[in-house]
Amino acid sequence: MSPVETAVTAQPPVVQKPNPLWTFGLLRSELVTTFRRWRTLALLAVLAAVPVLIGIAVKSQTNGGPGGGGHGADGGPAFITQVTNNGLFLVFTALAATLPFFLPMAIGVIAGDAIAGEANSGTLRYLLVAPAGRTRLLFAKYTATMAFCLVATLVVAISALAVGALLFPLGDLTTISGTRISFADGLGRALLIALVVAASLVGVAALGLFVSTLTNSGIAAMATTVGLVITVQILDQIPQLHALQPYFFSHYWLSFADLMRDPVYWDDLIHNLGLQALYAAVFGSAAWARFTAKDITA
Amino acid sequence: MQEWSAAEAEAGPDVVASDRDAPVIATRALTKRYRGGQLAVDGLDLTVPAGSVFGFLGPNGSGKTTTIRMLMGLIEPTSGTARVLGRPMPRSSRAVLPHIGALIEGPALYGFLSGRDNLLRYDAADPTADPSTRRTRVGAALDRVGLTTAAGKKAKAYSLGMKQRLGLAAALLQPRRLLVLDEPTNGLDPQGMREIRSLVRELASDGTTVFLSSHLLDEIEQVCTHAAVMAQGRLITQGAVADLAAGARGRLVVTTPDVSDAARVLKEQGVADVVVAEDRVTCEPPDRELADVNAALVTANVRVRGFGVERASLEDAFVALTGEGFDVAG
């Protein structure tokens, strides 16, 4: 090492140009770090357990009461009545059950912790001095959070598919519109639905990241983000606020069910994706403006 | 990517040519006022010569950390300028910081990652670090601070001293032109402190400039060639350590069992500020020949065990400058 060192230190500053591909090193490191955290794995384990619980509940109900298969219509999550006929419906049921609360809560924890958690532990200053670059770090954090959205959704979907295949018959299925589609087509739609559900969480992720740039306490940022998610869900239920409701990030979440229509009904789906893009743009810019101008005192 | 070409253009040939003698850190009227009006750093003009080991002294709350954070681009100055390695900060952060290794306010680690994985992560954060040499460089840095055997342990299981070493290793991942070390021997045992000091000397002899903040004055005195003293956000003095210490006069020390007689004779000889402590009498050295003073003592039947001038320490200089003991303030 030392001959190299002497050579470098004796010379005038050499501007080391980073290889553009090397900048992805931070993103990879970010992904590895996120998914090696015990907390992340615990969240994913909770999400994986939800379909198991639903599956067992539906199965025991069917076994207990003869002919009780179709009576869960009032109250249960969408598609729950079809689960006994086709295990694939457990995927849709599980996503419908986790989307309003479990999934956004998990995203809120990861996104809220993104910057504030690093500030809390002091590692943020070393990343910035490395120098990670503030924009680059924020980009890596947002990408890692969105990767978590996707992984979390897929964990729910795959767990549901496994439980569904184990406990219930699989086969051709009937869409909401009453047409029959093949199992392969059904699987394709399930994957598409998982992707749409993951995309539905982009708004929460951007919101959480913005909150995360406001504080040096990871816990405060997580709690605020999860609190906002719950508040918006409650406000979305109050009829007097219907003028505002189309702008709540959760308003069109359950529109993913429209992918099970034949032909697919796109209006609400597109509303949802547009709304998520709007949230990502607004809160992403706000997070960027805040983070690039912030004094790092932690 | 435009930032890069801008930075390059700025480091034109003339800047590069004069660079070797140019100060590594130069601030002009650097000021930071936090929201709420608190003035943390007030008109700081700091010059750190290239190749020096620069001691940065001051009690807690004197603005040292705020200054370091401004130099590292973490905090935006309220007014004034800071140039590091010849480039303005924080504007040229991306070009300057890869040449700087820093340990700021103690180490910060990912407790759930091993020591080695911590370093891999910090190295991945540097866009100029070559991924193909990453593992080798991490291994070399761990070896340099003596953590090779503990590299696989989770960082949360590390002792404070080990964390400090790992923080130092992160600063040494690449050959650096400037090392900024904030209290690098904090939490280390005496053996560890000695190792860090010899490491600092070794790095300095390679030509790396070291900017070292410490509350241990003898440490600064042992290691540093230059020093600056801050108090209440202002720079009190800066310069070569030898010059600073020379500013405070040494003391004449007489060791004798006959202290009261010695004190009387010394006063008769016209020396000022005579202080008696156990078997020692100290005073300001007179301007006349010291041998005559000694002869006067012996003539007066004072049994002299030891006689000599003790060199002024940096602590004496510090006390003279701030009017307070260093340990009291921080």
Side-chain angles (χ1 to χ4, degrees), chain B residues 191-251:
Chain B
Q191 174 62 25
M193 289 168 119
R194 210 170 309 141
E195 282 171 26
I196 298 304
R197 267 176 224 148
S198 70
L199 184 62
V200 166
R201 285 199 195 97
E202 189 187 315
L203 291 162
S205 69
D206 287 348
T208 308
T209 308
V210 183
F211 187 81
L212 183 83
S213 97
S214 175
H215 67 280
L216 300 173
L217 274 159
D218 55 342
E219 180 169 290
I220 298 274
E221 205 164 16
Q222 282 178 45
V223 187
C224 295
T225 59
H226 294 69
V229 180
M230 277 192 86
Q232 293 169 338
R234 292 179 153 276
L235 186 69
I236 293 181
T237 185
Q238 63 180 330
V241 166
D243 297 344
L244 291 177
R249 302 182 66 191
R251 306 257 315 161

Side-chain angles (χ1 to χ4, degrees), chain B residues 126-273:
Chain B
D126 180 353
T128 66
D130 183 354
S132 59
T133 60
R134 184 161 291 154
R135 294 215 154 252
T136 333
R137 284 183 292 110
V138 164
L142 285 165
D143 189 43
R144 196 148 198 192
V145 297
L147 274 183
T148 306
T149 49
K153 268 205 332 192
K154 292 244 186 298
K156 65 181 167 213
Y158 278 19
S159 68
L160 182 58
M162 288 162 83
K163 286 180 182 167
Q164 194 77 7
R165 283 161 193 260
L166 195 63
L168 263 171
L172 299 175
L173 283 169
Q174 296 220 63
R176 311 285 192 183
R177 297 186 60 216
L178 170 63
L179 277 177
V180 175
L181 304 177
D182 196 1
E183 306 273 357
T185 58
N186 239 5
L188 295 183
D189 51 24
Q191 174 62 25
M193 289 168 119
R194 210 170 309 141
E195 282 171 26
I196 298 304
R197 267 176 224 148
S198 70
L199 184 62
V200 166
R201 285 199 195 97
E202 189 187 315
L203 291 162
S205 69
D206 287 348
T208 308
T209 308
V210 183
F211 187 81
L212 183 83
S213 97
S214 175
H215 67 280
L216 300 173
L217 274 159
D218 55 342
E219 180 169 290
I220 298 274
E221 205 164 16
Q222 282 178 45
V223 187
C224 295
T225 59
H226 294 69
V229 180
M230 277 192 86
Q232 293 169 338
R234 292 179 153 276
L235 186 69
I236 293 181
T237 185
Q238 63 180 330
V241 166
D243 297 344
L244 291 177
R249 302 182 66 191
R251 306 257 315 161
L252 175 61
V253 179
V254 180
T255 316
T256 169
D258 314 317
V259 280
S260 51
D261 287 340
R264 180 177 45 78
V265 175
L266 285 172
K267 277 178 193 155
E268 285 167 8
Q269 293 294 313
V271 300
D273 192 20

